[in-house]
Amino acid sequence: EPEVTQTPSHQVTQMGQEVILRCVPISNHLYFYWYRQILGQKVEFLVSFYNNEISEKSEIFDDQFSVERPDGSNFTLKIRSTKLEDSAMYFCASHGQSDIYGYTFGSGTRLTVV
Amino acid sequence: GQSLEQPSEVTAVEGAIVQINCTYQTSGFYGLSWYQQHDGGAPTFLSYNALDGLEETGRFSSFLSRSDSYGYLLLQELQMKDSASYFCAVRDQGGSYIPTFGRGTSLIVHP
């Protein structure tokens, strides 16, 4: 079964450093998302991406964050100058044109900012 | 804005039936989804209801009442592997297809 792949599975970084989280969505999917989940809390929407541009973003997704689809397969989330409160699990998700009712999530990257 | 309420934890025994409720408040409404998450892993899509009534998928069923702003996920013939967190998510009719997730219900299945 096709899956969304995320790397790394765990990233530890020092406060103030930049991190790039990587995702490979399912190949024929068109819509891409980043979500985060702080430990024990709900899954929160960050940003959606379609047709090579951001289609929607939440209040969490401020100037510290950026997304990119540098080639035909990767979808990245960059966090500049990380803060302690950025520590969370970051999930990438995708769906195709007809899958708007169900997202396929990756296994996540656990980001720990120290 | 949107808000969703679901119980924080539900416990049940193997073989039993359990219902996880979700009530929501939205400025509009487009649909209610359910996702399962094991141990902080990838959320997995379970079901979607846009219209009132019951949707059945194997041992899992999902119900929606739009007039009551209420839905539930019904799990039958519980198995130990069903122990997980279950999230309801609402899509607002305000133009966005992006679902807003509830805080999740931790289901603990005992032998």
Side-chain angles (χ1 to χ4, degrees), chain B residues 13-86:
Chain B
V13 296
E14 217 173 355
I17 299 172
V18 73
Q19 179 173 311
I20 299 173
N21 299 319
C22 175
T23 57
Y24 57 86
Q25 286 186 318
T26 62
S27 54
F29 178 80
Y30 202 80
L32 182 72
S33 303
W34 288 93
Y35 284 80
Q36 179 191 61
Q37 185 183 38
H38 280 101
D39 298 326
T44 304
F45 173 73
L46 294 176
S47 67
Y48 174 78
N49 294 70
L51 302 175
D52 289 353
L54 192 68
E55 295 281 343
E56 298 183 63
T57 309
R59 293 188 298 115
F60 293 4
S61 303
S62 57
F63 172 82
L64 174 66
S65 169
R66 289 180 298 172
S67 59
D68 295 323
S69 298
Y70 164 75
Y72 65 72
L73 181 69
L74 190 75
L75 296 88
Q76 303 182 73
E77 301 173 20
L78 279 176
Q79 302 174 9
M80 296 296 289
K81 67 178 182 179
D82 296 330
S83 293
S85 290
Y86 292 84

Side-chain angles (χ1 to χ4, degrees), chain A residues 27-79:
Chain A
S27 61
N28 62 348
H29 280 187
L30 304 173
Y31 298 81
F32 314 115
Y33 305 83
W34 282 101
Y35 282 80
R36 78 171 186 191
Q37 185 179 32
I38 295 170
L39 187 63
Q41 299 189 25
K42 66 179 179 179
V43 177
E44 299 175 294
F45 167 71
L46 293 178
V47 66
S48 62
F49 195 85
Y50 171 71
N51 201 25
N52 287 321
E53 61 182 19
I54 291 174
S55 49
E56 196 163 341
K57 58 184 180 179
S58 71
E59 293 175 350
I60 303 169
F61 194 88
D62 58 22
D63 293 343
Q64 179 195 12
F65 294 89
S66 63
V67 289
E68 199 175 41
R69 189 157 161 81
D71 53 45
S73 59
N74 291 285
F75 179 50
T76 62
L77 174 69
K78 181 189 292 185
I79 310 175

